Amino acid sequence: MSLLKVLFVLVTIAAACAGVCNGGVTSSFVRKSQPSTCMPIDTFPPPPGYNAPEQVHITQGDHDGKSMIISWVTPLEREPNYVIFWEANSKNKHKIHSRITSYRYYTYESGYIHHATIKGLKHDTLYNYQLGTGDAVRRFSFTTPPKVGPDVPYTFGDLGQTYDSNETFEHYYSNPKGQAVLFAGDLSYADDHPYHNNNRWDSWGRFVEKSMAYQPWIWTVGNHEIDFAPELGENVPFKPYMHRYRVPYKASKSTSPLWYSIKRASAYIILLSSYSAYGKYTPQYNWLEQELPKVNRAETPWLIVLLHSPWYNSNNYHYMEGESMRVMFESWFVEHKVDIVFAGHVHSYERTDRFSNVRYNITNELSTPVKDPSAPVYITIGDGGNQEGLANNFSEPQPSYSAFREASYGHGMLDIKNRTHAHFTWHRNHDNEPVAADSHWMLNRYWHPEEENN
Ligand SMILES: *[C@@H]1O[C@H](CO)[C@@H](O)[C@H](O)[C@H]1NC(C)=O
Ligand SMILES: *[C@@H]1O[C@H](CO)[C@@H](O)[C@H](O)[C@H]1NC(C)=O
Ligand SMILES: *[C@@H]1O[C@H](CO)[C@@H](O)[C@H](O)[C@H]1NC(C)=O
Ligand SMILES: *[C@@H]1O[C@H](CO)[C@@H](O)[C@H](O)[C@H]1NC(C)=O
Ligand SMILES: [Fe+2]
């Protein structure tokens, strides 16, 4: 316990306020402003070999981590359409065929997009897998998560946008602690290019492969996944994303890949879509209403939600865009004691104290957020870096709910220790990886709902 106290003291000192400050800390660190330009499209060329599998990525394939979805693209031919996999300490090889999809977008034609679901994996086990044949064979590996349980330690990397953010990506990649990535949406930014140039989806897939092929990225969608362009005749929202990225939504009784849940180690993770209907009676609303009571905190103490557009964001950029969703769902999050909500979208970092704003009823004038021990901590981590540049215009004074905010790029690490304690750190790109620009002990809302010092 004394170690913990020392850490609290350190955090308190770090959070001491300098200058005008109603809420918490507005970090004075200002990143050198440099134009954020796109990496040329050929920065990540296809791998060598005829029809070589590329853009390899994996994600959890079921509700409790005994399955993995392996996805890849073969550019020229449908075959080979299988993955060979084996336990690292065994010679016993297995083969699973993929389901193949492809799509057209305006004048773009995709390659053959493969998705293969490997089931019945052992927990906590290293597997190798192999794609391609002949001179185009490629090998990768992944480790399955430990069996779901209340005191299973696990470390999630938390990333916002990564497009054009070689720096953020490399920075996260250099940290060996992350076992899986919680990704708060906005993947390729292909839609920022003329005619939503879908070749950018391919080059992004090659760019991030060196992480995504080895550890599961848990997806939620951002506005840059919508790709809705009626002027190009493209009227189906999320078309490129849905062809390329698969999630195990049926395992959580969802009717759409855009919202779902998984369990991993001691965490229950709910992924919501800020860009799908969430009003009363809509499919997402109905699903979430039934989903939250299902979470068994004796099995998975940590209840984490990911969504794209933040509900608590004191940056003028995208200010209040998450408000309508907050109005619909915040009271449920408080009722069910969600521990942490991760959001992206805003290109800066912000962490709140436990505040809620659920009393307001139009006439009672109670519209100011108040301290609430049952409320989540909201973390906006949409600071992966992107071509829209940093959002360095915070509203003043800093609102009381805002504990720490800084306009620079970085990534987070959520280190779950046991059912009561998790340590969150935020690492700005500018620093060496071991340096945490912000750090915070999270105390579990169900098992240890005490006030967190900050
Ligand atoms: C990305 O970052 C890594 C590590 O800093 C560097 O070696 C590499 O050249 C960078 N790539 C690009 C395309 O900027
Ligand atoms: C709104 O809240 C006030 C104060 O709590 C209460 O008196 C009033 O009846 C509420 N209005 C409605 C429509 O529920
Ligand atoms: C910051 O945001 C405010 C409110 O939207 C706006 O009035 C102001 O012009 C912005 N400042 C800069 C430097 O962009
Ligand atoms: C949980 O982890 C925290 C932080 O590492 C530690 O202080 C505490 O003793 C642990 N609790 C148990 C029951 O092991
Ligand atoms: Fe966004």
Side-chain angles (χ1 to χ4, degrees):
M1 230 34 213
S2 68
L3 174 65
L4 200 62
K5 279 200 192 118
V6 171
L7 281 161
F8 278 158
V9 170
L10 286 175
V11 171
T12 311
I13 291 168
C17 235
V20 183
C21 169
N22 289 32
V25 174
T26 301
S27 167
S28 60
F29 184 90
V30 178
R31 177 182 174 265
K32 254 200 336 264
S33 177
Q34 35 181 246
S36 186
T37 49
C38 284
M39 287 184 279
I41 197 154
D42 54 6
T43 308
F44 299 93
Y50 178 74
N51 197 38
E54 56 172 82
Q55 304 171 50
V56 181
H57 53 92
I58 64 174
T59 197
Q60 183 165 319
D62 63 356
H63 210 224
D64 50 12
K66 281 164 66 181
S67 171
M68 197 72 90
I69 302 171
I70 315 279
S71 303
W72 69 96
V73 174
T74 50
L76 304 172
E77 293 186 37
R78 293 172 67 86
E79 284 162 0
N81 59 340
Y82 54 83
V83 50
I84 292 172
F85 68 98
W86 62 98
E87 265 181 65
N89 59 11
S90 155
K91 292 200 168 67
N92 215 344
K93 296 195 174 176
H94 310 272
K95 184 170 172 178
I96 296 280
H97 281 87
S98 62
R99 292 190 170 200
I100 302 173
T101 183
S102 61
Y103 70 96
R104 289 164 159 269
Y105 191 98
Y106 193 51
T107 57
Y108 169 89
E109 272 186 62
S110 78
Y112 300 98
I113 303 169
H114 301 253
H115 302 286
T117 303
I118 303 179
K119 295 179 184 161
L121 296 168
K122 290 183 191 165
H123 281 295
D124 221 352
T125 303
L126 177 65
Y127 286 88
N128 295 321
Y129 67 100
Q130 177 177 314
L131 303 168
T133 49
D135 63 350
V137 165
R138 303 190 66 203
R139 277 192 184 180
F140 308 90
S141 63
F142 60 80
T143 302
T144 50
K147 191 168 173 348
V148 170
D151 289 304
V152 183
Y154 202 77
T155 304
F156 292 99
D158 309 292
L159 290 173
Q161 294 90 338
T162 55
Y163 180 73
D164 200 24
S165 60
N166 188 43
E167 236 185 353
T168 307
F169 181 72
E170 291 288 341
H171 201 217
Y172 171 72
Y173 184 75
S174 73
N175 188 331
K177 280 176 76 181
Q179 294 171 278
V181 171
L182 303 177
F183 188 77
D186 283 354
L187 285 66
S188 77
Y189 284 76
D191 60 343
D192 273 355
H193 294 270
Y195 310 108
H196 292 231
N197 184 355
N198 270 232
N199 292 301
R200 288 278 172 181
W201 274 106
D202 293 312
S203 58
W204 190 78
R206 295 193 289 265
F207 161 46
V208 290
E209 184 191 77
K210 74 178 185 183
S211 170
M212 276 183 206
Y214 296 92
Q215 56 174 254
W217 283 46
I218 314 298
W219 306 104
T220 188
V221 288
N223 49 309
H224 289 281
E225 275 69 75
I226 304 173
D227 276 316
F228 175 67
E231 70 281 12
L232 305 178
E234 294 298 342
N235 302 328
V236 181
F238 302 106
K239 181 172 157 183
Y241 170 78
M242 299 257 256
H243 277 93
R244 291 167 182 275
Y245 294 89
R246 288 288 148 92
V247 301
Y249 66 98
K250 289 180 184 159
S252 54
K253 306 275 190 291
S254 167
T255 50
S256 166
L258 302 174
W259 55 89
Y260 65 105
S261 71
I262 60 158
K263 298 189 280 193
R264 207 165 172 85
S266 46
Y268 199 104
I269 298 156
I270 293 180
L271 301 106
L272 299 178
S273 169
S274 296
Y275 305 98
S276 306
Y278 44 74
K280 197 160 184 178
Y281 314 124
T282 60
Q284 183 168 218
Y285 179 101
N286 288 347
W287 177 79
L288 185 61
E289 186 178 32
Q290 289 168 20
E291 178 71 6
L292 284 165
K294 286 182 192 165
V295 181
N296 174 5
R297 303 292 273 273
E299 185 193 38
T300 49
W302 294 93
L303 178 51
I304 298 168
V305 176
L306 260 79
L307 45 85
H308 188 64
S309 189
W311 298 356
Y312 286 93
N313 159 41
S314 68
N315 202 300
N316 286 317
Y317 193 62
H318 295 310
Y319 189 62
M320 284 185 80
E321 283 183 21
E323 186 65 4
S324 53
M325 194 189 217
R326 183 191 68 75
V327 170
M328 292 313 298
F329 293 152
E330 186 182 17
S331 59
W332 292 353
F333 283 20
V334 172
E335 182 191 343
H336 293 281
K337 296 184 169 30
V338 171
D339 291 294
I340 312 167
V341 175
F342 288 107
H345 202 40
V346 180
H347 305 144
S348 63
Y349 168 74
E350 185 159 15
R351 172 175 58 78
T352 70
D353 285 327
R354 297 195 181 273
F355 269 70
S356 74
N357 190 3
V358 294
R359 303 170 304 166
Y360 183 49
N361 71 1
I362 304 288
T363 59
N364 64 11
E365 298 182 0
L366 300 174
S367 59
T368 306
V370 292
K371 273 200 171 234
D372 185 339
S374 296
V377 166
Y378 294 88
I379 292 177
T380 303
I381 192 122
D383 56 353
N386 80 340
Q387 62 186 36
E388 291 166 355
L390 274 173
N392 58 0
N393 184 357
F394 287 114
S395 64
E396 296 294 350
Q398 186 166 7
S400 50
Y401 63 74
S402 174
F404 185 96
R405 53 185 192 174
E406 178 174 318
S408 53
Y409 295 137
H411 69 266
M413 298 296 283
L414 178 68
D415 190 357
I416 297 176
K417 306 285 189 193
N418 52 38
R419 74 182 68 189
T420 56
H421 285 69
H423 193 229
F424 179 77
T425 50
W426 177 68
H427 304 260
R428 72 167 76 92
N429 289 345
H430 183 83
D431 299 325
N432 289 328
E433 180 57 42
V435 178
D438 181 35
S439 68
H440 188 65
W441 278 100
M442 305 273 181
L443 303 180
N444 188 273
R445 289 302 94 187
Y446 180 86
W447 288 99
H448 197 53
E450 289 172 25
E451 192 167 349
E452 289 150 342
N453 211 326
N454 68 83

mmCIF file of all heavy atoms in Angstrom, residues 418-449:
data_model
loop_
_atom_site.group_PDB
_atom_site.id
_atom_site.type_symbol
_atom_site.label_atom_id
_atom_site.label_comp_id
_atom_site.label_asym_id
_atom_site.label_seq_id
_atom_site.Cartn_x
_atom_site.Cartn_y
_atom_site.Cartn_z
ATOM 1 N N ASN A 418 -5.141 -6.097 -11.506
ATOM 2 C CA ASN A 418 -6.018 -7.057 -10.825
ATOM 3 C C ASN A 418 -7.424 -6.448 -10.803
ATOM 4 O O ASN A 418 -7.676 -5.461 -11.482
ATOM 5 C CB ASN A 418 -5.495 -7.368 -9.412
ATOM 6 C CG ASN A 418 -5.239 -6.102 -8.606
ATOM 7 O OD1 ASN A 418 -6.008 -5.140 -8.717
ATOM 8 N ND2 ASN A 418 -4.181 -6.095 -7.807
ATOM 9 N N ARG A 419 -8.322 -6.992 -10.007
ATOM 10 C CA ARG A 419 -9.713 -6.534 -10.076
ATOM 11 C C ARG A 419 -9.917 -5.128 -9.517
ATOM 12 O O ARG A 419 -10.951 -4.532 -9.762
ATOM 13 C CB ARG A 419 -10.624 -7.521 -9.352
ATOM 14 C CG ARG A 419 -10.538 -7.473 -7.852
ATOM 15 C CD ARG A 419 -11.421 -8.515 -7.222
ATOM 16 N NE ARG A 419 -10.933 -9.859 -7.482
ATOM 17 C CZ ARG A 419 -11.603 -10.967 -7.204
ATOM 18 N NH1 ARG A 419 -12.800 -10.886 -6.668
ATOM 19 N NH2 ARG A 419 -11.079 -12.148 -7.445
ATOM 20 N N THR A 420 -8.959 -4.618 -8.759
ATOM 21 C CA THR A 420 -9.154 -3.296 -8.164
ATOM 22 C C THR A 420 -8.317 -2.203 -8.814
ATOM 23 O O THR A 420 -8.710 -1.042 -8.792
ATOM 24 C CB THR A 420 -8.811 -3.324 -6.650
ATOM 25 O OG1 THR A 420 -7.470 -3.809 -6.511
ATOM 26 C CG2 THR A 420 -9.782 -4.215 -5.893
ATOM 27 N N HIS A 421 -7.168 -2.556 -9.364
ATOM 28 C CA HIS A 421 -6.225 -1.530 -9.810
ATOM 29 C C HIS A 421 -5.825 -1.688 -11.281
ATOM 30 O O HIS A 421 -5.477 -2.786 -11.726
ATOM 31 C CB HIS A 421 -4.930 -1.587 -8.979
ATOM 32 C CG HIS A 421 -5.070 -1.034 -7.604
ATOM 33 N ND1 HIS A 421 -5.821 -1.650 -6.634
ATOM 34 C CD2 HIS A 421 -4.565 0.097 -7.039
ATOM 35 C CE1 HIS A 421 -5.768 -0.928 -5.522
ATOM 36 N NE2 HIS A 421 -5.016 0.137 -5.734
ATOM 37 N N ALA A 422 -5.827 -0.566 -11.967
ATOM 38 C CA ALA A 422 -5.268 -0.516 -13.318
ATOM 39 C C ALA A 422 -4.489 0.784 -13.434
ATOM 40 O O ALA A 422 -4.882 1.809 -12.870
ATOM 41 C CB ALA A 422 -6.372 -0.564 -14.362
ATOM 42 N N HIS A 423 -3.398 0.737 -14.138
ATOM 43 C CA HIS A 423 -2.571 1.935 -14.273
ATOM 44 C C HIS A 423 -2.618 2.408 -15.716
ATOM 45 O O HIS A 423 -2.309 1.656 -16.636
ATOM 46 C CB HIS A 423 -1.125 1.620 -13.853
ATOM 47 C CG HIS A 423 -0.289 2.844 -13.672
ATOM 48 N ND1 HIS A 423 0.949 2.987 -14.235
ATOM 49 C CD2 HIS A 423 -0.521 3.986 -12.989
ATOM 50 C CE1 HIS A 423 1.446 4.172 -13.908
ATOM 51 N NE2 HIS A 423 0.585 4.795 -13.149
ATOM 52 N N PHE A 424 -3.020 3.647 -15.880
ATOM 53 C CA PHE A 424 -3.091 4.206 -17.227
ATOM 54 C C PHE A 424 -1.975 5.224 -17.416
ATOM 55 O O PHE A 424 -1.739 6.073 -16.554
ATOM 56 C CB PHE A 424 -4.446 4.882 -17.465
ATOM 57 C CG PHE A 424 -4.541 5.495 -18.833
ATOM 58 C CD1 PHE A 424 -4.768 4.683 -19.950
ATOM 59 C CD2 PHE A 424 -4.346 6.856 -19.022
ATOM 60 C CE1 PHE A 424 -4.805 5.230 -21.223
ATOM 61 C CE2 PHE A 424 -4.386 7.404 -20.300
ATOM 62 C CZ PHE A 424 -4.617 6.594 -21.397
ATOM 63 N N THR A 425 -1.280 5.119 -18.525
ATOM 64 C CA THR A 425 -0.250 6.113 -18.833
ATOM 65 C C THR A 425 -0.442 6.630 -20.248
ATOM 66 O O THR A 425 -0.932 5.906 -21.124
ATOM 67 C CB THR A 425 1.179 5.517 -18.729
ATOM 68 O OG1 THR A 425 1.223 4.302 -19.487
ATOM 69 C CG2 THR A 425 1.568 5.246 -17.298
ATOM 70 N N TRP A 426 -0.083 7.859 -20.440
ATOM 71 C CA TRP A 426 -0.155 8.443 -21.782
ATOM 72 C C TRP A 426 1.250 8.893 -22.181
ATOM 73 O O TRP A 426 1.951 9.547 -21.414
ATOM 74 C CB TRP A 426 -1.126 9.621 -21.806
ATOM 75 C CG TRP A 426 -1.154 10.283 -23.149
ATOM 76 C CD1 TRP A 426 -1.636 9.768 -24.308
ATOM 77 C CD2 TRP A 426 -0.657 11.587 -23.470
ATOM 78 N NE1 TRP A 426 -1.477 10.660 -25.335
ATOM 79 C CE2 TRP A 426 -0.882 11.787 -24.854
ATOM 80 C CE3 TRP A 426 -0.048 12.609 -22.735
ATOM 81 C CZ2 TRP A 426 -0.522 12.966 -25.507
ATOM 82 C CZ3 TRP A 426 0.314 13.781 -23.383
ATOM 83 C CH2 TRP A 426 0.075 13.944 -24.754
ATOM 84 N N HIS A 427 1.643 8.488 -23.361
ATOM 85 C CA HIS A 427 3.017 8.696 -23.818
ATOM 86 C C HIS A 427 3.019 9.608 -25.034
ATOM 87 O O HIS A 427 2.523 9.219 -26.091
ATOM 88 C CB HIS A 427 3.659 7.354 -24.178
ATOM 89 C CG HIS A 427 3.624 6.369 -23.041
ATOM 90 N ND1 HIS A 427 4.701 6.128 -22.241
ATOM 91 C CD2 HIS A 427 2.614 5.605 -22.560
ATOM 92 C CE1 HIS A 427 4.373 5.244 -21.313
ATOM 93 N NE2 HIS A 427 3.106 4.916 -21.482
ATOM 94 N N ARG A 428 3.567 10.792 -24.869
ATOM 95 C CA ARG A 428 3.617 11.674 -26.041
ATOM 96 C C ARG A 428 4.769 11.254 -26.950
ATOM 97 O O ARG A 428 5.810 10.801 -26.470
ATOM 98 C CB ARG A 428 3.702 13.142 -25.617
ATOM 99 C CG ARG A 428 4.968 13.601 -25.045
ATOM 100 C CD ARG A 428 5.029 15.136 -24.972
ATOM 101 N NE ARG A 428 4.263 15.740 -23.909
ATOM 102 C CZ ARG A 428 4.726 16.035 -22.683
ATOM 103 N NH1 ARG A 428 5.965 15.733 -22.344
ATOM 104 N NH2 ARG A 428 3.960 16.615 -21.800
ATOM 105 N N ASN A 429 4.552 11.404 -28.225
ATOM 106 C CA ASN A 429 5.543 10.941 -29.208
ATOM 107 C C ASN A 429 6.910 11.545 -28.999
ATOM 108 O O ASN A 429 7.938 10.931 -29.251
ATOM 109 C CB ASN A 429 5.082 11.307 -30.622
ATOM 110 C CG ASN A 429 3.910 10.473 -31.056
ATOM 111 O OD1 ASN A 429 3.619 9.454 -30.446
ATOM 112 N ND2 ASN A 429 3.235 10.905 -32.090
ATOM 113 N N HIS A 430 6.880 12.795 -28.557
ATOM 114 C CA HIS A 430 8.092 13.568 -28.426
ATOM 115 C C HIS A 430 9.091 12.909 -27.457
ATOM 116 O O HIS A 430 10.292 13.042 -27.607
ATOM 117 C CB HIS A 430 7.680 14.949 -27.914
ATOM 118 C CG HIS A 430 8.808 15.907 -27.787
ATOM 119 N ND1 HIS A 430 9.281 16.626 -28.848
ATOM 120 C CD2 HIS A 430 9.572 16.251 -26.712
ATOM 121 C CE1 HIS A 430 10.278 17.384 -28.432
ATOM 122 N NE2 HIS A 430 10.476 17.172 -27.150
ATOM 123 N N ASP A 431 8.557 12.205 -26.442
ATOM 124 C CA ASP A 431 9.414 11.639 -25.409
ATOM 125 C C ASP A 431 9.840 10.219 -25.772
ATOM 126 O O ASP A 431 9.257 9.584 -26.634
ATOM 127 C CB ASP A 431 8.654 11.573 -24.077
ATOM 128 C CG ASP A 431 8.220 12.948 -23.596
ATOM 129 O OD1 ASP A 431 8.964 13.914 -23.831
ATOM 130 O OD2 ASP A 431 7.129 13.037 -23.004
ATOM 131 N N ASN A 432 10.821 9.736 -25.030
ATOM 132 C CA ASN A 432 11.145 8.317 -25.150
ATOM 133 C C ASN A 432 10.010 7.509 -24.542
ATOM 134 O O ASN A 432 9.345 7.957 -23.621
ATOM 135 C CB ASN A 432 12.442 7.997 -24.415
ATOM 136 C CG ASN A 432 13.635 8.572 -25.146
ATOM 137 O OD1 ASN A 432 13.629 8.657 -26.385
ATOM 138 N ND2 ASN A 432 14.633 8.999 -24.404
ATOM 139 N N GLU A 433 9.851 6.306 -25.051
ATOM 140 C CA GLU A 433 8.701 5.492 -24.648
ATOM 141 C C GLU A 433 8.506 5.353 -23.136
ATOM 142 O O GLU A 433 7.389 5.444 -22.658
ATOM 143 C CB GLU A 433 8.787 4.119 -25.326
ATOM 144 C CG GLU A 433 7.667 3.186 -24.984
ATOM 145 C CD GLU A 433 6.275 3.720 -25.289
ATOM 146 O OE1 GLU A 433 6.087 4.326 -26.352
ATOM 147 O OE2 GLU A 433 5.376 3.529 -24.440
ATOM 148 N N PRO A 434 9.557 5.160 -22.332
ATOM 149 C CA PRO A 434 9.298 4.952 -20.895
ATOM 150 C C PRO A 434 8.705 6.181 -20.201
ATOM 151 O O PRO A 434 8.176 6.069 -19.112
ATOM 152 C CB PRO A 434 10.681 4.635 -20.321
ATOM 153 C CG PRO A 434 11.507 4.229 -21.491
ATOM 154 C CD PRO A 434 10.968 4.977 -22.667
ATOM 155 N N VAL A 435 8.809 7.354 -20.803
ATOM 156 C CA VAL A 435 8.297 8.568 -20.160
ATOM 157 C C VAL A 435 6.782 8.620 -20.309
ATOM 158 O O VAL A 435 6.250 8.476 -21.397
ATOM 159 C CB VAL A 435 8.914 9.824 -20.813
ATOM 160 C CG1 VAL A 435 8.354 11.091 -20.170
ATOM 161 C CG2 VAL A 435 10.426 9.782 -20.721
ATOM 162 N N ALA A 436 6.098 8.821 -19.183
ATOM 163 C CA ALA A 436 4.651 9.002 -19.236
ATOM 164 C C ALA A 436 4.333 10.467 -18.983
ATOM 165 O O ALA A 436 4.663 11.018 -17.934
ATOM 166 C CB ALA A 436 3.972 8.129 -18.197
ATOM 167 N N ALA A 437 3.728 11.130 -19.966
ATOM 168 C CA ALA A 437 3.400 12.540 -19.808
ATOM 169 C C ALA A 437 2.201 12.705 -18.880
ATOM 170 O O ALA A 437 2.011 13.740 -18.256
ATOM 171 C CB ALA A 437 3.112 13.163 -21.172
ATOM 172 N N ASP A 438 1.362 11.686 -18.812
ATOM 173 C CA ASP A 438 0.246 11.693 -17.866
ATOM 174 C C ASP A 438 0.093 10.271 -17.354
ATOM 175 O O ASP A 438 0.210 9.312 -18.128
ATOM 176 C CB ASP A 438 -1.051 12.134 -18.567
ATOM 177 C CG ASP A 438 -2.238 12.170 -17.603
ATOM 178 O OD1 ASP A 438 -2.039 12.519 -16.415
ATOM 179 O OD2 ASP A 438 -3.365 11.839 -18.031
ATOM 180 N N SER A 439 -0.143 10.116 -16.071
ATOM 181 C CA SER A 439 -0.385 8.764 -15.566
ATOM 182 C C SER A 439 -1.407 8.815 -14.448
ATOM 183 O O SER A 439 -1.537 9.817 -13.752
ATOM 184 C CB SER A 439 0.914 8.120 -15.093
ATOM 185 O OG SER A 439 1.382 8.784 -13.944
ATOM 186 N N HIS A 440 -2.121 7.725 -14.304
ATOM 187 C CA HIS A 440 -3.272 7.750 -13.405
ATOM 188 C C HIS A 440 -3.611 6.333 -12.963
ATOM 189 O O HIS A 440 -3.731 5.442 -13.798
ATOM 190 C CB HIS A 440 -4.460 8.353 -14.184
ATOM 191 C CG HIS A 440 -5.657 8.609 -13.336
ATOM 192 N ND1 HIS A 440 -5.668 9.519 -12.316
ATOM 193 C CD2 HIS A 440 -6.905 8.077 -13.370
ATOM 194 C CE1 HIS A 440 -6.865 9.530 -11.753
ATOM 195 N NE2 HIS A 440 -7.642 8.658 -12.368
ATOM 196 N N TRP A 441 -3.757 6.149 -11.657
ATOM 197 C CA TRP A 441 -4.252 4.856 -11.163
ATOM 198 C C TRP A 441 -5.763 4.853 -11.253
ATOM 199 O O TRP A 441 -6.434 5.712 -10.683
ATOM 200 C CB TRP A 441 -3.829 4.622 -9.718
ATOM 201 C CG TRP A 441 -2.436 4.107 -9.614
ATOM 202 C CD1 TRP A 441 -1.316 4.823 -9.315
ATOM 203 C CD2 TRP A 441 -2.018 2.751 -9.817
ATOM 204 N NE1 TRP A 441 -0.218 4.008 -9.331
ATOM 205 C CE2 TRP A 441 -0.616 2.722 -9.632
ATOM 206 C CE3 TRP A 441 -2.671 1.557 -10.153
ATOM 207 C CZ2 TRP A 441 0.136 1.554 -9.757
ATOM 208 C CZ3 TRP A 441 -1.933 0.391 -10.279
ATOM 209 C CH2 TRP A 441 -0.549 0.396 -10.085
ATOM 210 N N MET A 442 -6.303 3.885 -11.948
ATOM 211 C CA MET A 442 -7.751 3.706 -12.043
ATOM 212 C C MET A 442 -8.167 2.708 -10.967
ATOM 213 O O MET A 442 -7.594 1.614 -10.888
ATOM 214 C CB MET A 442 -8.134 3.097 -13.396
ATOM 215 C CG MET A 442 -7.637 3.866 -14.590
ATOM 216 S SD MET A 442 -8.856 5.112 -14.987
ATOM 217 C CE MET A 442 -8.071 5.833 -16.418
ATOM 218 N N LEU A 443 -9.157 3.077 -10.186
ATOM 219 C CA LEU A 443 -9.684 2.156 -9.194
ATOM 220 C C LEU A 443 -11.010 1.627 -9.708
ATOM 221 O O LEU A 443 -11.881 2.395 -10.112
ATOM 222 C CB LEU A 443 -9.855 2.872 -7.846
ATOM 223 C CG LEU A 443 -8.564 3.508 -7.303
ATOM 224 C CD1 LEU A 443 -8.827 4.192 -5.960
ATOM 225 C CD2 LEU A 443 -7.462 2.464 -7.142
ATOM 226 N N ASN A 444 -11.151 0.337 -9.673
ATOM 227 C CA ASN A 444 -12.322 -0.290 -10.278
ATOM 228 C C ASN A 444 -13.612 0.184 -9.608
ATOM 229 O O ASN A 444 -13.723 0.197 -8.379
ATOM 230 C CB ASN A 444 -12.182 -1.812 -10.176
ATOM 231 C CG ASN A 444 -13.258 -2.526 -10.940
ATOM 232 O OD1 ASN A 444 -14.347 -2.772 -10.417
ATOM 233 N ND2 ASN A 444 -12.978 -2.833 -12.193
ATOM 234 N N ARG A 445 -14.594 0.536 -10.416
ATOM 235 C CA ARG A 445 -15.845 1.102 -9.892
ATOM 236 C C ARG A 445 -16.698 0.073 -9.179
ATOM 237 O O ARG A 445 -17.533 0.411 -8.345
ATOM 238 C CB ARG A 445 -16.654 1.749 -11.016
ATOM 239 C CG ARG A 445 -16.077 3.033 -11.565
ATOM 240 C CD ARG A 445 -15.908 4.097 -10.498
ATOM 241 N NE ARG A 445 -14.562 4.095 -9.929
ATOM 242 C CZ ARG A 445 -14.198 4.843 -8.886
ATOM 243 N NH1 ARG A 445 -15.065 5.632 -8.298
ATOM 244 N NH2 ARG A 445 -12.973 4.781 -8.417
ATOM 245 N N TYR A 446 -16.538 -1.183 -9.514
ATOM 246 C CA TYR A 446 -17.363 -2.210 -8.892
ATOM 247 C C TYR A 446 -16.690 -2.759 -7.632
ATOM 248 O O TYR A 446 -17.329 -2.927 -6.599
ATOM 249 C CB TYR A 446 -17.619 -3.332 -9.899
ATOM 250 C CG TYR A 446 -18.470 -4.466 -9.377
ATOM 251 C CD1 TYR A 446 -19.859 -4.402 -9.433
ATOM 252 C CD2 TYR A 446 -17.880 -5.608 -8.817
ATOM 253 C CE1 TYR A 446 -20.635 -5.444 -8.947
ATOM 254 C CE2 TYR A 446 -18.657 -6.647 -8.332
ATOM 255 C CZ TYR A 446 -20.030 -6.560 -8.402
ATOM 256 O OH TYR A 446 -20.798 -7.588 -7.918
ATOM 257 N N TRP A 447 -15.406 -3.021 -7.717
ATOM 258 C CA TRP A 447 -14.694 -3.674 -6.627
ATOM 259 C C TRP A 447 -14.046 -2.708 -5.648
ATOM 260 O O TRP A 447 -13.738 -3.090 -4.519
ATOM 261 C CB TRP A 447 -13.617 -4.612 -7.190
ATOM 262 C CG TRP A 447 -14.177 -5.832 -7.816
ATOM 263 C CD1 TRP A 447 -14.378 -6.033 -9.150
ATOM 264 C CD2 TRP A 447 -14.654 -7.006 -7.161
ATOM 265 N NE1 TRP A 447 -14.941 -7.265 -9.357
ATOM 266 C CE2 TRP A 447 -15.121 -7.892 -8.145
ATOM 267 C CE3 TRP A 447 -14.731 -7.412 -5.813
ATOM 268 C CZ2 TRP A 447 -15.654 -9.144 -7.849
ATOM 269 C CZ3 TRP A 447 -15.258 -8.659 -5.523
ATOM 270 C CH2 TRP A 447 -15.720 -9.508 -6.537
ATOM 271 N N HIS A 448 -13.778 -1.514 -6.088
ATOM 272 C CA HIS A 448 -12.987 -0.600 -5.245
ATOM 273 C C HIS A 448 -13.346 0.844 -5.584
ATOM 274 O O HIS A 448 -12.505 1.623 -6.040
ATOM 275 C CB HIS A 448 -11.501 -0.867 -5.530
ATOM 276 C CG HIS A 448 -10.573 -0.329 -4.492
ATOM 277 N ND1 HIS A 448 -10.698 -0.594 -3.149
ATOM 278 C CD2 HIS A 448 -9.472 0.464 -4.601
ATOM 279 C CE1 HIS A 448 -9.720 0.002 -2.485
ATOM 280 N NE2 HIS A 448 -8.976 0.654 -3.351
ATOM 281 N N PRO A 449 -14.628 1.209 -5.348
ATOM 282 C CA PRO A 449 -15.107 2.501 -5.873
ATOM 283 C C PRO A 449 -14.692 3.696 -5.020
ATOM 284 O O PRO A 449 -15.504 4.524 -4.655
ATOM 285 C CB PRO A 449 -16.630 2.316 -5.876
ATOM 286 C CG PRO A 449 -16.900 1.338 -4.791
ATOM 287 C CD PRO A 449 -15.688 0.433 -4.698
#
